[in-house]
């Protein structure tokens, strides 16, 4: 596939998977619009993208804000006249037992991880419908979800919910956009070596292998090229395959397994009870 005429928006491009994806798309020739909140990092990514795709640019802002998410698409269209690839990748982690998450915290996660992808997609689809040969529609929406949406670990209920919503939305888009010329890709990363693991405020118990972010970026580009609908990264991984199968066949075994790996302890419950007695809500 020739990416040289393509314009790609990549959210969460300042680090990790988003950064690797922005650079890989630019290397393939696409003009990249990179977005995130940390400007210094975005500037570096964009400078590297420009070595391959000279018109690449960046936008700084909070993707969990509807105006910014919609403005990102509007400004990209204003600047380049088209948007061919939209990679919804930005996300915040939330690794805490439910007792320690407030409704406000949960809403932040849903806005950043799920609603952002809804807002950018709603803004981009009308334009994608008019692109392509004789205005018959063309574009790619790539949503980076998580394996946590398939097997939610303990302490991850809200993060998993945000990714579950994203996965279902993407699968729904496949159905509704069939025949439109717009192709959707659902990306389901397993454990990937990025800074997201350092951002959790409650220590994560996972001690297994972490795979390089470049693996996900390469799978994203090849899924676009091959018009694949869903890709789990790493592919054909025995642990992920076993967890997926067991979660369907023996969900109670999986539930016990994740609870053992990272327990929600009696102390956590007792603390929450104390706070409830004091009239406090979850996460207060
Ligand atoms: N790493 C893993 O093991 C793993 C596994 C499954 C799924 N994933 C998913 O992969 C995607 C990329 O994550 P990553 O692992 O590459 O983590 P990361 O390095 O922490 O990247 C997250 C990106 O999202 C941006 N971001 C976060 N909140 C934002 C906000 N409110 N507004 C704008 N940008 C925001 C961050 O940039 P700023 O801080 O500069 O805004 C950063 O660029 C996420 O959707 C994540 O859920 C990762």
């Amino acid at each position: 596939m020739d990416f040289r005429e393509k314009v790609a928006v990549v959210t969460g491009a300042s680090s990790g998977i988003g950064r690797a994806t922005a650079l890989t798309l630019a290397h393939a020739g696409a003009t990249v619009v990179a977005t995130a909140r940390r400007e210094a990092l975005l500037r570096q990514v964009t400078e590297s993208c420009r070595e391959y795709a000279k018109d690449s640019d960046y936008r700084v802002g909070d993707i969990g804000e509807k105006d910014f998410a919609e403005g990102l698409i509007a400004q990209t269209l204003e600047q380049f006249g088209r948007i061919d690839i939209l990679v919804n990748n930005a996300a915040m982690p939330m690794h805490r037992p439910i007792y320690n998450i407030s409704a406000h915290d949960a809403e932040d996660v849903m806005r950043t991880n799920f609603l952002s992808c809804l807002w950018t997609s709603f803004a981009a689809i009308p334009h994608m419908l008019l692109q392509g040969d004789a205005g018959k529609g063309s574009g790619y929406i790539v949503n980076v979800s998580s394996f946590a949406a398939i097997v939610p670990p303990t302490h991850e209920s809200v993060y998993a919910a945000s990714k579950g919503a994203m996965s279902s939305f993407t699968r729904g888009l496949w159905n509704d956009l069939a025949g439109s010329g717009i192709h959707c890709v659902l990306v389901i990363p397993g454990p990937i070596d990025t800074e997201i693991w350092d951002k959790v405020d409650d220590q994560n118990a996972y001690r297994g292998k972490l795979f390089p972010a470049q693996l996900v970026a390469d799978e994203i580009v090849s899924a676009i090229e091959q018009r694949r609908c869903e890709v789990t990264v790493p592919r054909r991984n025995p642990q992920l395959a076993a967890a997926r199968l067991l979660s369907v066949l023996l969900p109670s075994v999986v539930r016990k397994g994740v609870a053992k790996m990272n327990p929600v302890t009696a102390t956590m419950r007792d603390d929450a009870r104390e706070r409830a007695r004091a009239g406090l809500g979850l996460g207060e």
Side-chain angles (χ1 to χ4, degrees):
M1 185 170 146
D2 190 359
F3 283 88
R4 278 172 302 179
E5 300 296 312
K6 308 272 184 242
V7 174
V9 172
V10 181
T11 74
S14 59
S15 61
I17 293 168
R19 181 179 188 280
T21 303
L23 294 171
T24 306
L25 284 167
H27 193 250
T31 296
V32 170
V33 178
T35 183
R37 293 164 301 179
R38 289 170 294 176
E39 185 166 7
L41 292 177
L42 272 185
R43 208 180 305 121
Q44 282 172 15
V45 173
T46 305
E47 273 161 21
S48 301
C49 287
R50 282 181 182 149
E51 288 174 24
Y52 307 103
K54 65 177 173 36
D55 294 331
S56 294
D57 210 343
Y58 67 89
R59 298 265 179 282
V60 180
D62 183 345
I63 201 73
E65 296 291 335
K66 187 169 184 255
D67 286 350
F68 177 76
E70 290 176 346
L72 169 70
I73 303 301
Q75 286 164 19
T76 300
L77 287 161
E78 208 172 292
Q79 188 173 356
F80 298 104
R82 56 187 303 110
I83 169 167
D84 301 282
I85 300 166
L86 168 62
V87 183
N88 289 304
N89 163 78
M92 61 183 285
M94 176 59 69
H95 185 80
R96 274 186 239 164
I98 195 71
Y99 302 124
N100 299 345
I101 303 175
S102 70
H104 182 267
D105 295 336
E107 196 178 316
D108 272 352
V109 175
M110 293 307 283
R111 292 170 74 84
T112 304
N113 297 7
F114 171 58
L115 288 174
S116 60
C117 110
L118 202 84
W119 295 325
T120 54
S121 301
F122 272 65
I125 287 169
H127 302 278
M128 288 180 169
L129 281 174
L130 300 175
Q131 291 178 164
D133 294 339
K136 282 188 181 157
S138 119
Y140 296 84
I141 298 176
V142 180
N143 290 336
V144 181
S145 181
S146 170
F147 199 78
I150 296 171
V151 179
T154 44
H155 302 231
E156 300 267 346
S157 56
V158 173
Y159 174 80
S162 70
K163 293 300 184 174
M166 184 190 233
S167 295
S168 293
F169 176 57
T170 314
R171 292 181 177 123
L173 283 182
W174 299 339
N175 299 335
D176 285 5
L177 293 176
S180 69
I182 306 171
H183 181 74
C184 302
V185 184
L186 175 60
V187 182
I188 306 176
I192 307 298
D193 190 6
T194 70
E195 62 178 54
I196 205 167
W197 296 89
D198 307 325
K199 291 177 183 169
V200 291
D201 43 12
D202 173 21
Q203 210 191 358
N204 198 305
Y206 181 75
R207 294 288 174 270
K209 182 173 166 62
L210 295 173
F211 296 85
Q214 188 59 44
L215 198 63
V216 188
D218 291 340
E219 289 287 2
I220 287 175
V221 172
S222 96
I224 291 171
E225 285 177 320
Q226 295 166 25
R227 292 179 82 80
R228 293 207 330 264
C229 292
E230 184 165 324
V231 53
T232 301
V233 191
R235 273 205 257 179
R236 292 184 282 278
N237 177 272
Q239 278 84 22
L240 297 183
R244 192 191 284 258
L245 193 66
L246 274 177
S247 71
V248 176
L249 299 179
L250 294 166
S252 59
V253 171
V254 174
R255 211 172 299 135
K256 278 188 195 138
V258 294
K260 199 170 168 195
M261 188 166 84
N262 201 6
V264 177
T265 61
T267 312
M268 290 170 185
R269 271 193 305 278
D270 291 346
D271 285 352
R273 235 178 237 118
E274 277 305 309
R275 294 198 302 274
R277 271 192 205 103
L280 298 173
L282 293 183
E284 290 180 320

